[in-house]
Amino acid sequence: MRSADRTWPVLAPEPEVQPEPLRIAPSMSVVVAAYQAERTLAAALDSALAQTLPPLEVVVCDDGSTDDTAAVLERYAGRVLVVRQDNGGEAAAKNAAVEAASGDFVVVLDADDVFEAERLEALTWLAVRRPDLDVLTTDAVVEADGREVRRAYHPGWTFPVEDQRAEILSRNFVLGLAAVRRERWLEVGGFDRSLSRATDWDFWLRLVLGGSRVGLVDAPLARYQLATGTLSSDRIGVVRARVVVLERADARDDLAPHERAVVGAALRRERLDLTVRSAVASLSGSPAAARRAHLRLAVHPGLSPGGRVRAVVGVVAPARLAARRRRRGDGRVEIGSGLWVQPLD
């Protein structure tokens, strides 16, 4: 089959009015935020430049790297547009790359990930046929330490086509290596620099609640690297950031009653998760800190009866729970029936 004749499997909301396919394909700019990326950046850029449908441009923001990222970028002189700034974080770097881009869509490529050769072709194919969609993504193969783990979308993390507003209030269902209509990115203000974590969920949430809809090419057209070895304190920070994102959403005045209920349930879930993680982390600290953390957990309204018993044990005998955690040796702690603390992706 010739590339131009190829069709792709798609998951997307039904259009309110069947759109006419575009006569001219929208242009795609690949945007990369790079910080201390000397080991992985070349592979990412090579994958962007080797597309069967080449991008309009590849824009890299070097976010104040002090390693050899600049030397890597020198090898791509004339093929990649580079903008540089003092270190301001991933959100600021992605925004800067988007501002420097000129394509109709900007396609996010993280500096440690790679695109399969047909990814831009597939995204453009969908953009032509569904001009009502502002955000486009694909499935991906998730890797950890060079080993394939799973697909990005799987039975435990599905792509919704119905009521995406409610879904985005419950969970972040958008694979971050997405193509976003550039004017929409700028309209909503891009990534929020005040958030050091959960910035992507906050961004997709503002886009979807602002009227944008998301489509998926249901094929694994990228390789996404899963961060490993995250410290417990970092995992707590991620959950705390999720709570902030949901609190902002809950403060909006444009939510329907069922959407308000969804974000309320998500907030209760994340707050409980934060309380649980804080209690578990406290087991490696002072007994007094462990007792205080488990007391907060014990009175949490969302905890199961079994979990409440364990939390009480943590109040009166935190060393007992700490010893049980060491004996398990798998990095997980059962706080209640069906309630486990696990590393975050």
Side-chain angles (χ1 to χ4, degrees):
M1 179 182 295
R2 291 185 301 127
S3 177
D5 297 332
R6 177 145 191 192
T7 60
W8 298 90
V10 171
L11 293 174
E14 286 294 325
E16 295 178 1
V17 178
Q18 193 63 38
E20 286 289 333
L22 299 176
R23 295 177 179 272
I24 300 176
S27 55
M28 300 272 173
S29 297
V30 175
V31 294
V32 184
Y35 177 68
Q36 310 294 66
E38 61 178 359
R39 292 189 305 106
T40 62
L41 182 57
L45 296 180
D46 288 344
S47 75
L49 294 169
Q51 293 292 298
T52 55
L53 183 61
L56 174 68
E57 61 197 348
V58 177
V59 183
V60 181
C61 177
D62 182 357
D63 189 39
S65 300
T66 58
D67 63 356
D68 285 336
T69 294
V72 173
L73 288 170
E74 287 178 2
R75 305 205 304 263
Y76 293 87
R79 293 185 292 164
V80 169
L81 173 63
V82 179
V83 294
R84 290 187 167 86
Q85 64 180 24
D86 294 337
N87 181 240
E90 181 182 4
K94 286 182 176 177
N95 289 342
V98 169
E99 289 169 3
S102 55
D104 298 312
F105 280 82
V106 288
V107 190
V108 176
L109 171 59
D110 290 339
D112 56 351
D113 299 329
V114 297
F115 288 169
E116 299 296 349
E118 295 177 302
R119 191 164 198 264
L120 292 188
E121 178 185 326
L123 291 171
T124 303
W125 178 90
L126 180 55
V128 167
R129 285 154 182 78
R130 290 295 304 272
D132 57 307
L133 301 174
D134 290 331
V135 182
L136 316 169
T137 193
T138 73
D139 202 350
V141 172
V142 178
E143 298 179 345
D145 298 325
R147 177 177 58 87
E148 182 175 331
V149 176
R150 54 173 168 77
R151 293 272 285 266
Y153 291 100
H154 54 85
W157 192 55
T158 57
F159 182 87
V161 297
E162 302 290 340
D163 201 357
Q164 290 186 340
R165 284 176 58 94
E167 284 290 333
I168 201 65
L169 286 166
S170 177
R171 63 188 177 94
N172 179 13
F173 65 80
V174 184
L175 179 67
L177 304 178
V180 182
R181 201 175 299 277
R182 182 174 177 270
E183 65 180 21
R184 285 292 292 142
W185 183 301
L186 298 176
E187 282 174 5
V188 303
F191 279 62
D192 187 340
R193 295 181 56 171
S194 71
L195 294 172
S196 60
R197 299 176 176 90
T199 51
D200 52 349
W201 189 12
D202 173 76
F203 179 56
W204 307 129
L205 195 150
R206 285 185 282 121
L207 276 169
V208 172
L209 294 184
S212 293
R213 298 195 297 172
V214 188
L216 170 75
V217 175
D218 193 15
L221 295 176
R223 283 183 281 140
Y224 178 84
Q225 300 302 314
L226 191 66
T228 57
T230 306
L231 298 175
S232 296
S233 59
D234 292 331
R235 295 199 296 270
I236 289 172
V238 170
V239 180
R240 185 175 288 116
R242 289 176 177 172
V243 170
V244 171
V245 168
L246 288 168
E247 287 175 341
R248 289 182 177 184
D250 191 41
R252 295 176 65 106
D253 60 7
D254 60 347
L255 300 184
H258 80 283
E259 294 167 349
R260 186 77 61 192
V262 168
V263 73
L267 258 175
R268 290 190 294 274
R269 180 188 69 229
E270 296 296 343
R271 285 170 175 160
L272 175 58
D273 193 11
L274 179 59
T275 305
V276 169
R277 290 180 184 277
S278 299
V280 171
S282 72
L283 293 174
S284 59
S286 69
R291 288 188 177 97
R292 287 193 299 270
H294 281 82
L295 180 59
R296 289 193 296 271
L297 180 59
V299 299
H300 197 289
L303 197 61
S304 67
R308 206 170 308 282
V309 170
R310 295 179 189 277
V312 171
V313 171
V315 174
V316 299
R320 179 178 171 186
L321 282 186
R324 183 175 185 273
R325 184 190 187 196
R326 287 193 295 272
R327 285 198 301 272
R328 284 195 60 89
D330 63 359
R332 302 191 305 167
V333 176
E334 186 181 11
I335 298 298
S337 176
L339 181 59
W340 295 82
V341 175
Q342 300 175 341
L344 294 172
D345 290 355

